[in-house]
Amino acid sequence: MELTTVWFVLIALLWTGYLVLEGFDFGVGMLLLPLSRDADKAVTQTDRRLMINTIGPVWDGNEVWLLVAGGATFAAFPEWYATLFSGFYLALLLILLALIVRGVAFEYRGKIDDPRWRARWDLAITVGSWVPALLWGVAFGNIVAGVPIDADHHFTGTLWTLLNPYALLAGLTTVTLFLLHGAVFLALKTDGPMRERAGRAAAGIAPVTLVVAAAFAVWTQLAHGKTWTWAAVVVAALGLVGTVAATRQRREGLAFLLTTVVIVAAVVLLFGSLFPDVMPSTTDPAFSLTTENASSTPYTLKVMTWVAVVLTPFVLAYQGWTYWVFRQRLTSTHVEGTTGLAPLARR
């Protein structure tokens, strides 16, 4: 296998890790406001702190996958990186701003013991989760479907070019899938009333996700897929059907495993449909960026491969250890008397 193909697969794996791990982070953030209300629709700060602390030890580590995926794309396929970031500049800037605001909100919401102060940062967490969840889907939809690229590999479209029906359906798919992934994660990581509330939310979101994701997967396969990517469509469909059943039975562990499988299958479908292109051109197929004409030199790819082989096991081991340490369920008793993430982390 050529190193260009190896690095295409490795970048797909990095995006898989990011979407699986950051996917439930986004889901928890999107559900922060609706699930932190009691039976009388009153806001409960304890529940909000509980939800945030389920992802508190891991959210920033999950974002490392995005940094590595971006860095790997820059180093392995600089032409792809340049065209992607210049053409999708505004959308990627919005994602970056949302992630920055979201990260600041996690750290600052508990600095002042004032309900209005916390409410503003909670809103920032919610918006900072919805925006990337939507725009990542829109971006991947456009990458797979293709965008106008000229002979010099310059993007010649506008922002409105990116807001086409297929890409918007892709964005809606990532939103619903991350909502489901996050609700299942909350049910898995909490106990008591929050576990019950998250379980009901997951059971309600699952059928909607099934319909939306099925429509997107079939459209992708028929318009851009290859014969072998039907396997990814079937796996995703079975995973979603299983998730609907698992959420109704409140089997959180199985449901989380199945939503993870669905996200993995979705990445396989997208990258499998894309290969050997990395960015198809709708202007002329001859102008498309491929794994060959967008890659770095063979020497660069060889050095990168050795670095990845040596360092990746350490990174995976450390992150796995983090999840193991913080594997226990949380209840309201873990956060009572605290005002944010930092006090619980210290305790």
Side-chain angles (χ1 to χ4, degrees), residues 39-95:
D40 299 324
K41 305 300 180 182
V43 175
T44 57
Q45 288 296 332
T46 299
D47 284 340
R48 289 191 179 180
R49 293 195 294 272
L50 175 61
M51 293 176 68
I52 291 172
N53 277 278
T54 60
I55 60 174
V58 297
W59 71 267
D60 47 354
N62 294 342
E63 290 190 346
V64 171
W65 288 82
L66 173 61
L67 300 177
V68 178
T73 303
F74 172 76
F77 301 102
E79 285 277 354
W80 183 15
Y81 183 93
T83 303
L84 176 65
F85 274 76
S86 61
F88 294 18
Y89 181 81
L90 182 56
L92 294 175
L93 178 62
L94 289 174
I95 291 175

Side-chain angles (χ1 to χ4, degrees), residues 180 184 199-200 202-211 236-251 254-256 258-259 262:
L180 176 59
V184 170
R200 288 198 304 268
I205 296 169
V208 178
T209 306
L210 173 60
V211 173
L238 293 176
L240 285 169
V241 171
T243 303
V244 172
T247 53
R248 289 181 178 179
Q249 298 170 10
R250 303 297 171 86
R251 299 178 63 183
L254 176 60
F256 187 76
L258 289 173
T259 54
V262 172

Side-chain angles (χ1 to χ4, degrees), residues 87-92 138-139 141-143 146-148 155 157-168 279:
F88 294 18
Y89 181 81
L90 182 56
L92 294 175
V138 172
N142 279 289
I143 291 173
V147 291
F155 176 79
T158 65
L159 175 63
W160 304 113
T161 306
L162 306 179
L163 301 179
N164 56 79
Y166 175 75
L168 292 175
M279 208 162 182

Side-chain angles (χ1 to χ4, degrees), residues 28-42:
V28 172
M30 290 188 283
L31 294 168
L32 181 63
L33 300 186
L35 289 191
S36 60
R37 296 179 181 273
D38 58 23
D40 299 324
K41 305 300 180 182

Side-chain angles (χ1 to χ4, degrees), residues 48-333:
R48 289 191 179 180
R49 293 195 294 272
L50 175 61
M51 293 176 68
I52 291 172
N53 277 278
T54 60
I55 60 174
V58 297
W59 71 267
D60 47 354
N62 294 342
E63 290 190 346
V64 171
W65 288 82
L66 173 61
L67 300 177
V68 178
T73 303
F74 172 76
F77 301 102
E79 285 277 354
W80 183 15
Y81 183 93
T83 303
L84 176 65
F85 274 76
S86 61
F88 294 18
Y89 181 81
L90 182 56
L92 294 175
L93 178 62
L94 289 174
I95 291 175
L96 179 60
L97 290 175
L99 293 177
I100 291 173
V101 170
R102 179 171 170 267
V104 171
F106 280 134
E107 301 296 336
Y108 273 64
R109 72 176 304 275
K111 298 301 183 183
I112 298 178
D113 189 10
D114 177 70
R116 290 176 298 178
W117 169 270
R118 289 194 295 269
R120 295 188 188 102
W121 289 117
D122 290 342
L123 179 61
I125 292 173
T126 301
V127 174
S129 300
W130 275 93
V131 170
L134 173 66
L135 293 183
W136 280 131
V138 172
F140 275 106
N142 279 289
I143 291 173
V144 172
V147 291
I149 301 174
D150 63 18
D152 296 321
H153 295 163
H154 294 159
F155 176 79
T156 58
T158 65
L159 175 63
W160 304 113
T161 306
L162 306 179
L163 301 179
N164 56 79
Y166 175 75
L168 292 175
L169 179 60
L172 184 59
T173 301
T174 51
V175 164
T176 55
L177 187 54
F178 290 164
L179 277 171
L180 176 59
H181 200 41
V184 170
F185 177 78
L186 273 176
L188 181 65
K189 280 291 293 179
T190 60
D191 211 342
M194 178 54 68
R195 180 183 181 184
E196 179 66 22
R197 217 175 298 159
R200 288 198 304 268
I205 296 169
V208 178
T209 306
L210 173 60
V211 173
V212 174
F216 174 71
V218 171
W219 189 345
T220 301
Q221 178 61 36
L222 294 179
H224 312 290
K226 299 175 176 63
T227 302
W228 70 268
T229 54
W230 273 112
V233 176
V234 172
V235 170
L238 293 176
L240 285 169
V241 171
T243 303
V244 172
T247 53
R248 289 181 178 179
Q249 298 170 10
R250 303 297 171 86
R251 299 178 63 183
E252 296 99 349
L254 176 60
F256 187 76
L257 175 62
L258 289 173
T259 54
T260 299
V261 169
V262 172
I263 294 174
V264 173
V267 176
V268 171
L269 173 61
L270 292 174
F271 278 83
S273 301
L274 188 61
F275 187 81
D277 292 336
V278 293
M279 208 162 182
S281 171
T282 56
T283 305
D284 187 332
F287 301 158
S288 297
L289 290 167
T290 68
T291 55
E292 294 299 327
N293 65 22
S295 68
S296 294
T297 64
Y299 179 76
T300 300
L301 295 178
K302 186 180 296 185
V303 171
M304 289 173 57
T305 302
W306 279 110
V307 171
V309 168
V310 173
L311 296 182
T312 299
F314 293 98
V315 176
L316 293 177
Y318 175 77
Q319 190 161 33
W321 174 80
T322 302
Y323 276 91
W324 175 257
V325 169
F326 294 100
R327 68 189 181 279
Q328 71 275 10
R329 290 182 182 269
L330 299 178
T331 65
S332 57
T333 58

